[in-house]
Amino acid sequence: QLVESGGMLVQAGGSLRLSCAASGGTFSNYAAAWFRQAPGKDREFVASVIWSGRYSDYADSVKGRFTISRDNARNAVYLQMSSLKPEDTAIYYCAAGRAIAFRPDGYDYWGQGTSVTVTV
């Protein structure tokens, strides 16, 4: 089970940290990722990190602004977001799977999502 938290309304240029708490399995066995879905749009890849945390990848739209990290001792993955833009407004979802993937169908487990709204 994955449970996201930390989403809220924030002004453009601000920062936010999302958290995802995992339970019910050996989290360190899994790659983890963040996706987001804006109203009327498909779910899109944001960032991913391998099981050890040593390698991560990002969508071009967030590269340099967002940082994904994980703490396997706490069974958690985080998304630090800075320089937020109105176009970052979306529901953010945490996902876990056997390997890094850039498509939603590459992940086996999903959280319920947390809402991020960026205002001008």
Side-chain angles (χ1 to χ4, degrees):
Q1 182 181 8
L2 302 174
V3 179
E4 304 94 334
S5 61
M8 62 176 65
L9 188 148
V10 63
Q11 284 190 325
S15 298
L16 205 57
R17 187 194 197 206
L18 305 183
S19 299
C20 174
S23 63
T26 306
F27 184 62
S28 59
N29 287 345
Y30 294 88
W34 289 94
F35 285 76
R36 67 186 181 187
Q37 188 165 17
K41 295 189 176 181
D42 293 334
R43 192 168 297 191
E44 66 172 1
F45 170 79
V46 175
S48 60
V49 61
I50 64 171
W51 67 273
S52 66
R54 290 178 178 268
Y55 176 81
S56 55
D57 209 345
Y58 299 89
D60 288 343
S61 59
V62 306
K63 204 169 289 185
R65 300 189 298 121
F66 291 11
T67 302
I68 189 171
S69 62
R70 65 188 298 162
D71 184 342
N72 288 336
R74 296 179 182 271
N75 287 336
V77 63
Y78 308 100
L79 186 68
Q80 179 68 47
M81 306 186 293
S82 60
S83 301
L84 283 161
K85 305 175 182 180
E87 51 264 42
D88 294 319
T89 295
I91 306 294
Y92 283 71
Y93 297 91
C94 175
R98 288 295 181 180
I100 283 182
F102 302 108
R103 294 168 51 94
D105 59 9
Y107 293 88
D108 301 311
Y109 304 100
W110 291 86
Q112 83 291 347
T114 186
S115 179
V116 173
T117 301
V118 183
T119 61
V120 296

